[in-house]
Amino acid sequence: MTTICNTLAAVRGRIATACAAAGRNPSEVRLLAVSKTFDADAVREALEAGQTAFGENYLQEAAGKIDALAGQGAEWHCIGPIQSNKTRLAAEKFDWVQSVDRLKIAERLSAQRPEHLPALNVCLQVNIDGGASKSGVAPEGAAALAEAVAALPRLRLRGLMTIPEPAADYAAQLTVHRRARELFDALCARGLALDTLSMGMSADVESAIAAGSTMVRVGSAIFGARPKPDA
Ligand SMILES: *Cc1c(COP(=O)(O)O)cnc(C)c1O
């Protein structure tokens, strides 16, 4: 029988194999389990199997799960697009927001982060392959946005997040992921203290790790196919 415990172990195995192939230590790559569309019971099962970091796209859906599982050690990452009138829920409920792509959103998150919580961890979402309809700051704009976000008092800028278009093969995936790594390194060279490059999903964990990902976001390979196609 396929259980979340088994699929998690299989994904951890893929990460370990990819790290070995790249000459990297597996402790350098975190696994974010993307639980969007799956219920709190599925998340609880993953928690019991030792998984602590969870990614959610839809704020309202996530808020219910976050409340249901309060106090059980889960760390919640918002990875979906945020409208500026929805920032409060993100600032109040999440530990990380990886989908910051403009200053207005960052300013609102900083202003709305409750005093009793630590600074909100954020990543800038970068439109690394230039998809016309996609969210994400253009690579050329990333440095200026990063410096402005890093200066906000209630945010802690951790790094970059990318969601490239599905690529035809491993080599094509690698080319795009390497571009993200170069941008990440360039920002670090400007003096920004970044530690997170969030890239790689169920279909491209291996190429992302080869290119230097420090966090892979895996949904369907852990929880199964989602009921409806995701936007
Ligand atoms: C849904 C989603 C994932 C997980 O995708 P899978 O292909 O199911 O692994 C990762 N990142 C983001 C931003 C997502 O929206």
Side-chain angles (χ1 to χ4, degrees):
M1 194 179 102
T2 314
T3 64
I4 288 174
C5 188
N6 296 144
T7 54
L8 264 175
V11 170
R12 290 189 191 118
R14 283 175 64 187
I15 293 170
T17 302
C19 284
R24 301 182 60 195
N25 188 322
S27 68
E28 293 171 23
V29 182
R30 287 192 81 192
L31 172 59
L32 183 71
V34 178
S35 45
K36 64 181 175 209
T37 78
F38 293 93
D39 63 12
D41 286 339
V43 175
R44 191 175 291 113
E45 202 177 325
L47 272 168
E48 282 164 4
Q51 176 63 30
T52 53
F54 295 90
E56 291 282 341
N57 291 53
Y58 314 108
L59 294 175
Q60 214 68 46
E61 178 202 330
K65 285 182 244 184
I66 294 172
D67 289 344
L69 295 166
Q72 298 193 36
E75 179 185 281
W76 295 97
H77 294 235
C78 175
I79 58 174
I82 306 181
Q83 295 163 287
S84 61
N85 60 347
K86 298 281 173 54
T87 49
R88 184 174 297 279
L89 201 51
E92 290 178 352
K93 294 284 182 188
F94 284 85
D95 302 292
W96 288 61
V97 174
Q98 298 198 11
S99 43
V100 171
D101 65 357
R102 52 198 197 277
L103 187 57
K104 184 180 176 196
I105 297 286
E107 286 171 340
R108 291 177 64 92
L109 289 170
S110 181
Q112 293 170 342
R113 181 67 168 171
E115 278 308 319
H116 69 278
L117 295 176
L120 181 65
N121 297 291
V122 300
C123 292
L124 303 188
Q125 182 177 340
V126 180
N127 184 358
I128 198 68
D129 54 358
S133 65
K134 280 207 311 197
S135 27
V137 61
E140 308 74 47
L145 181 59
E147 279 164 9
V149 170
L152 292 170
R154 299 290 290 140
L155 301 186
R156 180 170 169 212
L157 180 64
R158 300 293 295 263
L160 304 179
M161 189 267 268
T162 61
I163 317 175
E165 290 303 310
D169 55 26
Y170 180 90
Q173 293 170 0
L174 194 60
T175 301
V176 176
H177 288 321
R178 282 193 172 138
R179 221 182 291 153
R181 179 73 209 197
E182 282 164 21
L183 179 61
F184 178 84
D185 289 341
L187 297 183
C188 292
R190 293 172 76 102
L192 290 157
L194 308 181
D195 64 5
T196 301
L197 180 56
S198 172
M199 63 184 188
M201 319 203 298
S202 293
D204 60 354
V205 160
E206 286 77 11
S207 56
I209 288 174
S213 169
T214 72
M215 187 184 290
V216 290
R217 308 179 308 269
V218 178
S220 47
I222 296 171
F223 294 104
R226 284 180 290 275
K228 53 181 191 286
D230 197 64

